[in-house]
Amino acid sequence: MPIAQRATKALNLELLPVGIHDPVELDRTLETAKESGVDSLYVVSSRHTLANAQRIVEFANRQRLPLVAGWVHGSRQAA
């Protein structure tokens, strides 16, 4: 995450880091992102985000948000 934080500072962007540990927390996080008016999603690859890649992609599509994610395996299936 330090690289992303430095990049956002250099680009004059705001980064809102949020950790998830289970599917319920993911739902709350995505709803908070929607209510906060975020204009894009940057998702760090983890076992939780990979396991929920389809839900994250569907959310980004519904909200018409650009999505950048570090998924390698399974990313084609989620898209």
Side-chain angles (χ1 to χ4, degrees):
M1 192 61 84
I3 293 171
Q5 290 170 330
R6 285 195 310 268
T8 57
K9 189 175 276 189
L11 296 168
N12 198 28
L13 300 173
E14 182 180 349
L15 181 66
L16 177 64
V18 180
I20 61 163
H21 302 96
D22 60 55
V24 173
E25 199 169 33
L26 175 62
D27 292 336
R28 285 192 304 260
T29 298
L30 294 176
E31 188 59 34
T32 298
K34 178 182 169 183
E35 292 171 358
S36 298
V38 299
D39 57 10
S40 61
L41 297 177
Y42 170 69
V43 180
V44 176
S45 184
S46 73
R47 63 187 169 118
H48 296 295
T49 59
L50 186 56
N52 292 285
Q54 182 70 36
R55 290 174 54 209
I56 296 168
V57 169
E58 289 171 357
F59 172 82
N61 285 337
R62 277 193 314 276
Q63 301 304 315
R64 303 184 55 80
L65 295 172
L67 169 64
V68 175
W71 302 312
V72 176
H73 300 291
S75 61
R76 293 253 183 241
Q77 294 157 342

